[in-house]
Amino acid sequence: MISDLEARQARDPDVHGARLFGLVYPSGRPDLEALIEDVNRRYLFGNALNPFKFVELAGMEREVIDAVGSLVHLAGGDAGGGGAMTGGGTESILMSMLVQRERARARGVARPQIVAPVSAHPAYAKAAHYFDMDLVQIPLDAQYRADVDAVGDAINEQTAVVIASAFNYPYGIMDPVTDIAALAADHGIGCHVDACIGGFMLPFLERIGQAVPPWDFRVRGVTEMSADVHKYGYTPKGASLVLHRDADWFGHQVFLYDQWPSGTYGSPAMAGARPAAPIAVAWAVVNYLGEDGFCEIVRGLRDTFTKLRAGIESIDGLRIVGDPVGPVLSFEGDGGVDAYAVGDKMDDKGWHLNRNKTPRSLHLMVSPAHAQRADDLLADLADSVAHHGDARDTAARYS
Ligand SMILES: *Cc1c(COP(=O)(O)O)cnc(C)c1O
C-alpha cells in the first residue's frame, strides 16, 4: 500500500523541491519543519469544535488571533475587535462577506453588492454565489491596482462592502487601501482588506525597513481583514484568520442554535468539527519564530525576490507586470516573445510556473526555499526565452 502511495506521490509535483510556486510555501528551515511535524503529530486526532471541552486549545486559538491582531494593529480587548481562525483564506473571506451581507440587510438592502477589483481572489465571487449577493467588478488602473475612481462610481445604495487586496495574487501588487477604505468610511459600509498572502509578509517587510503603503487597521475605514497562516506563516494547509475591527461585526459571523436535543450548538465559522492540528501548529510557529524569527526569514526572502526580479528584468524579452511589493510577481513577454511559450519551455525543464490570462504572463510566488534555486531558475528562464518557439497554449488555470 505505502509503495503504491509513494509511486502516486512521485507523479505529483514535489512539494519540497522548490520548483513549484503558489500552492506550497516551503520555509527552507529544517528546524521549523521538524517542529511543525512534531506538533502536528501531537494534535492530529484532536477536535476544535467544543471550546468548553478543549479549553487549552481554544486558548491557543485566542492567542494566535491576538498575536496576529496586534501585528496588524487591531485594537483588541476592551477596545473591541474580534476574529476567528478558519480553515483557509476562502473561508475567512466567506465569513466576512456573510457579515457584510447581514449588515446590509439590516439597513434594508435586499440584494447586497460586493465591489471588488477584477484582480481580487475568486473567493469573493464564491461568496456572492453562496450568499445571494452580487459581485461588481472594478477595472484596474495602468499600474494594475484597483481604479479608485471606478470604485467611487460603483458604490450605491446596494453596496455592502468594498475590497482591497494587500497584496493581490495575480501580480503581487497593493491596491490603494487608504483611498478605498476612505470611500467605505464615507458611505458607512464595510471595507475588507484581503491580506491572505500579505498578512504574514507586510508587517515584517515594514519592520526590516521596506516602504509599504498603509494597508492594515491603522487605516481609517478598514473593517475586516483576512490573513492566511498557511501561506507565509509556513504552516500546512488549514489555517487562516478573519479579523473584524468591531466586536459587534464579529458577532454576526457566529452561529448559535439552541433547538437541538443535545443542547446549544455554536460555531464561529463554516466548519463544525474542526481539526485541532492547524491551530496548535499556528500557535507553535508564531511563538517559536516570534517577530524576530519572521523578520529573519523575510530578510532572506526579500533578497531572493530582489535577485529574481532584477534577473528577470535583465532578460531581453521579459517585462515585470507593474510594481509588485514582493515576494509575488508576474512577467510578460516583450518584443515578440510570448510568455506562454516561455512557460512551456520552463514546464519541459521541470518548473511549475503558473500562467496569468491578463496580461498574458507567467506568475512567480517566491518562498524562502526558492533561494537555493534562484540561479537555476534565471538560467533556465534565459534559455527558455532564447529558444522559446510556439506556445502550446496551455490554459491559465489555478484549480
Ligand atoms: C490564497 C488567497 C486567497 C484564498 O485562500 P485559500 O487559502 O486558498 O482559500 C484569497 N486571497 C488571496 C489574495 C490569496 O492569495
Side-chain angles (χ1 to χ4, degrees):
M1 196 280 297
I2 287 290
S3 64
D4 186 22
L5 179 135
E6 280 177 345
R8 300 185 78 158
Q9 193 171 29
R11 289 195 288 274
D12 278 343
D14 176 5
V15 296
H16 299 294
R19 287 168 160 267
L20 179 64
F21 298 85
L23 292 169
V24 296
Y25 297 72
S27 68
R29 283 274 298 264
D31 59 327
L32 188 63
E33 290 190 4
L35 173 79
I36 290 170
E37 284 174 15
D38 182 16
V39 176
N40 193 57
R41 188 174 46 75
R42 291 169 190 262
Y43 276 85
L44 197 52
F45 295 100
N47 186 352
L49 170 60
N50 189 338
F52 301 106
K53 226 21 128 186
F54 288 93
V55 177
E56 289 301 326
L57 185 63
M60 284 154 81
E61 176 171 9
R62 189 73 254 151
E63 287 174 35
V64 173
I65 295 161
D66 288 347
V68 177
S70 106
L71 264 185
V72 299
H73 301 93
L74 177 69
D78 295 340
M85 286 190 71
T86 69
T90 299
E91 189 184 355
S92 294
I93 289 169
L94 290 177
M95 295 324 296
S96 170
M97 294 305 106
L98 176 68
V99 169
Q100 313 293 343
R101 186 194 72 177
E102 296 301 290
R103 302 288 298 193
R105 282 198 177 161
R107 57 180 171 84
V109 179
R111 203 175 159 88
Q113 296 180 352
I114 301 168
V115 171
V118 294
S119 53
H121 192 274
Y124 297 98
K126 197 180 211 176
H129 177 64
Y130 281 5
F131 300 144
D132 280 324
M133 302 171 83
D134 282 316
L135 178 69
V136 178
Q137 290 198 298
I138 300 301
L140 307 180
D141 66 16
Q143 278 82 48
Y144 295 90
R145 302 172 308 180
D147 184 323
V148 176
D149 291 338
V151 174
D153 292 345
I155 295 175
N156 62 35
E157 287 296 302
Q158 272 66 250
T159 310
V161 59
V162 292
I163 312 303
S165 301
F167 35 94
N168 64 33
Y169 175 88
Y171 318 112
I173 290 173
M174 305 278 288
D175 284 327
V177 174
T178 306
D179 296 343
I180 291 174
L183 284 169
D186 293 347
H187 288 85
I189 57 177
C191 173
H192 180 116
V193 170
D194 186 2
C196 277
I197 347 176
F200 278 81
M201 181 55 54
L202 296 171
F204 306 117
L205 280 177
E206 260 186 80
R207 279 171 177 71
I208 65 171
Q210 181 168 325
V212 174
W215 64 281
D216 62 15
F217 284 104
R218 285 171 290 185
V219 178
R220 169 183 161 261
V222 171
T223 58
E224 266 72 31
M225 184 185 294
S226 46
D228 291 352
V229 200
H230 68 202
K231 285 177 178 161
Y232 288 112
Y234 313 110
T235 65
K237 294 299 171 249
S240 171
L241 287 97
V242 55
L243 299 171
H244 301 264
R245 183 191 288 276
D246 187 326
D248 175 53
W249 285 50
F250 171 58
H252 280 78
Q253 81 164 64
V254 177
F255 179 77
L256 284 175
Y257 184 71
D258 62 5
Q259 306 293 305
W260 196 35
S262 289
T264 300
Y265 182 101
S267 67
M270 305 284 270
R274 283 198 299 157
I279 295 170
V281 168
W283 182 88
V285 169
V286 164
N287 284 293
Y288 176 71
L289 288 178
E291 291 191 11
D292 291 347
F294 273 106
C295 283
E296 189 188 321
I297 292 178
V298 167
R299 243 181 237 110
L301 184 53
R302 184 188 53 178
D303 292 347
T304 306
F305 179 74
T306 304
K307 177 180 189 171
L308 286 171
R309 181 176 180 163
I312 292 167
E313 276 166 346
S314 75
I315 296 173
D316 220 17
L318 297 182
R319 185 175 58 215
I320 306 278
V321 176
D323 184 20
V325 64
V328 176
L329 60 74
S330 62
F331 54 97
E332 55 188 326
D334 196 20
V337 173
D338 178 1
Y340 280 23
V342 174
D344 291 343
K345 283 278 174 219
M346 291 298 280
D347 287 350
D348 295 344
K349 293 175 189 289
W351 297 94
H352 299 272
L353 302 189
N354 292 320
R355 287 155 177 79
N356 276 342
K357 278 205 291 196
T358 41
R360 200 171 156 94
S361 53
L362 299 176
H363 187 259
L364 268 188
M365 199 140 185
V366 185
S367 283
H370 291 125
Q372 45 169 326
R373 294 259 187 241
D375 291 325
D376 295 353
L377 178 77
L378 289 171
D380 282 349
L381 256 184
D383 187 69
S384 297
V385 171
H387 305 102
H388 60 83
D390 290 331
R392 296 192 286 263
D393 266 323
T394 309
R397 58 174 184 220
Y398 188 74
S399 62

